[in-house]
Amino acid sequence: MSSATKGFAPRSLLRLVLVAFTVVLLPLILLVIQNGRSLERVILLAQDGIESAVVDTRRASDMNDLALEMERAIRRYVVLENPELRDSYLRLLARYRLELEQLLMGIDGGVLGESLQHQLVYLVDLAQANNEQIRERVVIFNAFSSTTLALDKLTRGQIDERIQQEREHVIVMRQQLWVLSAALGGASLLLALLFTYLIIRPVRQLEQRILNLGAGVYPEQVPIRGPAELVALGDKLHWLHTRLCELEAQKLQFLRHLSHELKTPLASLREGADLLIEQVTGPLNTDQQEVCELLVHNSFRLQELIEQLLDYNRIQQVQVHEEPVAVAPLLEQSLDAHRLTIDNKSLQVSVDLINVCPFADSHRLKLVLDNLVSNAVNYADVAGVLDINATLSGQDYILTVANTGQPIPEQDRDRIFEPFVQGTQVRKGVLKGSGIGLSIAREAAENMGGQLVLNTNVTDLVCFELRLPHDNNTGIKDE
């Protein structure tokens, strides 16, 4: 494991996920706490403001009432000369003075407050005067009541200003909360993206290596950085790729040895069969002649099977060269190679091609045609039909190879293109097939940018459909 990977913390995927959740939630928790504190402070400020506004307003209103009662009490005292009315007046005056002092502690009375305090001195002296003096000086209550009303108005104005300030303060706090929420929310989002990247990056690297593994591309040598579990999985994928490369090399070596080991005795077998059929060793009767012909035919068939086995491996290694390819000559070669079987089974061959050249690789297209024709010839009914035609559909060149015969069972349709897999149908020939012909054909078609499918829409024939591009898909690509 690399030093960069060893230095990564946390090492465990579970620990990384837990740390991610904790760190991402931390700003959100702080935001909730801060919002709670701010809301509590706003509530306290509003509560204090409302209480002080109510109290100050009530005091200013009470002072107006006290001023009127004081004037009424002193006037009644002048008329009735009842000492209790004088005492009531002094009690009202004391209450007024107390209310004024408390009110001036909550508001800025300014000149009005000072004026009322001076007037209270005169009002106290008024209680010590005689009736005649009181009658002369009672007009002071006009100015006193006016000043009290002015103080009430001033109090209400200052309360309105205080409420407006509290409202502006709440607006400022709300803006601060929005800014704080955006900052902490953005921090949580960034942290979430960071930890998502830390988790997704090694997963994407593993995904890319798995895709490269499936495509046969050599994986990157850069080590995976991330939690220990994903790093270990990356190491296992690298080991798996190495092991697959070793197996691929062993397969290639096995096929090369198989080719050599099979072709050498096969050449001797064919040479001996040719000598016998040419009657070099002596004349042959009719039965012996048929046996020799059977030996020669099946030796050719055995050579074809060996070449198919080699083609299955070589089709994955050879470069694809796409160019306009004439189909008719290649199809004629494939039909000629199976002419003996076609004649023996009395097949009616129908070929209808259009004068259009698809873009393909000539070698791979020849393999496709050989395998499709071979499959159709060997599975066709005796005295049946072999129908080959080509059409255009949009940007596709469509070649169909169809034959009469037993329909392919539905359970075999998805597997007939797999290598070394044969369906439940009985092959109508001397030798059993290898099961890789259709697999070679489909892989060759896909390498050329086309596709090979079983056309199940045709009910009376077994039909295989080859689609190839025919417009501007020329060029060379590596597999």
Side-chain angles (χ1 to χ4, degrees), residues 26-98:
L26 184 59
L28 299 179
I29 295 174
L30 294 177
L31 178 61
V32 172
I33 295 175
Q34 182 62 29
N35 286 345
R37 290 180 177 177
S38 300
L39 182 60
E40 182 180 2
R41 188 166 59 187
V42 169
I43 293 174
L44 291 176
L45 289 174
Q47 184 177 356
D48 294 340
I50 292 173
E51 290 179 355
S52 64
V54 171
V55 171
D56 292 341
T57 302
R58 180 180 57 79
R59 282 184 181 145
S61 179
D62 290 346
M63 288 172 62
N64 289 328
D65 295 338
L66 287 172
L68 292 175
E69 291 179 5
M70 287 167 56
E71 182 179 1
R72 188 180 301 114
I74 197 65
R75 290 182 183 276
R76 291 175 64 190
Y77 170 72
V78 171
V79 175
L80 301 175
E81 295 183 358
N82 187 348
E84 293 182 359
L85 293 175
R86 179 178 174 274
D87 293 338
S88 175
Y89 169 77
L90 291 176
R91 288 194 299 270
L92 292 172
L93 185 62
R95 285 180 56 189
Y96 186 93
R97 177 182 285 110
L98 179 61

Side-chain angles (χ1 to χ4, degrees), residues 384-455:
V385 174
L386 174 57
D387 185 17
I388 303 173
N389 65 77
T391 58
L392 289 179
S393 176
Q395 301 298 325
D396 292 334
Y397 176 93
I398 303 177
L399 178 72
T400 58
V401 178
N403 62 275
T404 55
Q406 183 181 358
I408 298 177
E410 186 173 354
Q411 66 271 17
D412 293 338
R413 292 175 183 176
D414 295 333
R415 304 186 66 238
I416 57 175
F417 291 102
E418 297 180 12
F420 306 105
V421 173
Q422 290 185 311
T424 56
Q425 288 179 293
V426 179
R427 181 184 174 100
K428 299 176 176 61
V430 180
L431 292 179
K432 184 176 177 62
S434 62
I436 62 174
L438 290 177
S439 175
I440 293 174
R442 166 170 278 189
E443 189 160 355
E446 292 177 351
N447 289 343
M448 294 184 292
Q451 63 178 130
L452 177 64
V453 296
L454 175 66
N455 190 342

Side-chain angles (χ1 to χ4, degrees), residues 34 47 55 64 128 158-159 250 253 261 326 427 460:
Q34 182 62 29
Q47 184 177 356
V55 171
N64 289 328
Q128 306 300 327
Q158 292 188 7
I159 290 174
Q250 293 176 6
Q253 184 179 11
E261 295 297 330
R427 181 184 174 100
D460 53 342

Side-chain angles (χ1 to χ4, degrees), residues 366-387:
K366 180 65 165 56
L367 287 176
V368 174
L369 295 176
D370 285 345
N371 284 286
L372 290 180
V373 170
S374 174
N375 185 78
V377 168
N378 286 287
Y379 284 95
D381 293 333
V382 176
V385 174
L386 174 57
D387 185 17

Side-chain angles (χ1 to χ4, degrees), residues 10 12 20 62 100 135 150 172 201 221 234 268 300 302 308 315 322 324 336-337 346 364 419:
S12 171
D62 290 346
L100 177 61
R135 287 189 184 96
V172 171
R201 180 184 62 176
Q221 296 299 319
S268 301
F300 277 105
L302 182 57
Q308 280 187 347
I315 197 69
E322 293 181 341
D336 289 342
S346 302
R364 283 174 168 78

Side-chain angles (χ1 to χ4, degrees), residues 73-318:
I74 197 65
R75 290 182 183 276
R76 291 175 64 190
Y77 170 72
V78 171
V79 175
L80 301 175
E81 295 183 358
N82 187 348
E84 293 182 359
L85 293 175
R86 179 178 174 274
D87 293 338
S88 175
Y89 169 77
L90 291 176
R91 288 194 299 270
L92 292 172
L93 185 62
R95 285 180 56 189
Y96 186 93
R97 177 182 285 110
L98 179 61
E99 293 288 345
L100 177 61
E101 291 175 354
Q102 292 179 345
L103 179 61
L104 293 178
M105 292 175 60
I107 67 168
D108 182 12
V111 178
L112 292 176
E114 295 177 358
S115 176
L116 285 174
Q117 289 175 346
H118 288 299
Q119 291 177 18
L120 286 176
V121 175
Y122 291 105
L123 293 177
V124 172
D125 295 339
L126 183 63
Q128 306 300 327
N130 54 37
N131 290 346
E132 189 63 29
Q133 290 175 337
I134 292 175
R135 287 189 184 96
E136 294 176 355
R137 296 164 58 183
V138 76
V139 294
I140 192 176
F141 277 100
N142 294 331
F144 179 71
S145 298
S146 298
T147 307
T148 301
L149 289 173
L151 183 62
D152 184 16
K153 184 177 181 181
L154 177 64
T155 301
R156 295 178 186 276
Q158 292 188 7
I159 290 174
D160 291 339
E161 292 179 359
R162 192 186 311 165
I163 293 175
Q164 181 62 29
Q165 291 175 356
E166 294 295 335
R167 184 182 293 111
E168 293 175 354
H169 182 64
V170 170
I171 293 175
V172 171
M173 291 186 63
R174 183 176 63 182
Q175 293 175 348
Q176 292 176 350
L177 287 177
W178 277 113
V179 173
L180 182 62
S181 301
L184 292 178
S188 296
L189 179 60
L190 291 177
L191 290 172
L193 293 176
L194 173 62
F195 281 101
T196 301
Y197 170 75
L198 292 177
I199 296 175
I200 291 298
R201 180 184 62 176
V203 174
R204 292 283 176 81
Q205 291 177 336
L206 290 174
E207 180 185 10
Q208 186 60 43
R209 293 196 178 186
I210 292 174
L211 293 176
N212 292 340
L213 185 65
V217 179
Y218 196 80
E220 299 179 359
Q221 296 299 319
V222 179
I224 293 178
R225 296 181 181 180
E229 295 91 336
L230 300 182
V231 174
L233 183 58
D235 294 338
K236 288 183 175 63
L237 285 176
H238 183 76
W239 170 84
L240 178 60
H241 184 272
T242 303
R243 181 59 180 160
L244 290 176
C245 290
E246 293 175 355
L247 293 176
E248 183 69 17
Q250 293 176 6
K251 184 189 77 172
L252 293 176
Q253 184 179 11
F254 168 75
L255 290 176
R256 286 195 297 268
H257 290 172
L258 180 66
S259 173
H260 176 74
E261 295 297 330
L262 291 179
K263 283 188 175 182
T264 300
L266 180 60
S268 301
L269 177 62
R270 289 184 55 186
E271 183 178 356
D274 289 339
L275 292 175
L276 288 176
I277 201 169
E278 292 175 0
Q279 301 185 12
V280 174
T281 58
L284 302 176
N285 57 33
T286 303
D287 294 337
Q288 292 172 338
Q289 185 76 17
E290 290 180 358
V291 171
C292 289
E293 290 178 355
L294 184 62
L295 287 175
V296 171
H297 174 71
N298 287 313
S299 65
F300 277 105
R301 180 57 184 157
L302 182 57
Q303 180 179 356
E304 179 183 352
L305 294 176
I306 294 173
E307 290 176 351
Q308 280 187 347
L309 187 61
L310 296 177
D311 286 338
Y312 175 72
N313 177 70
R314 187 165 57 247
I315 197 69
Q316 307 175 48
Q317 308 294 330
V318 179

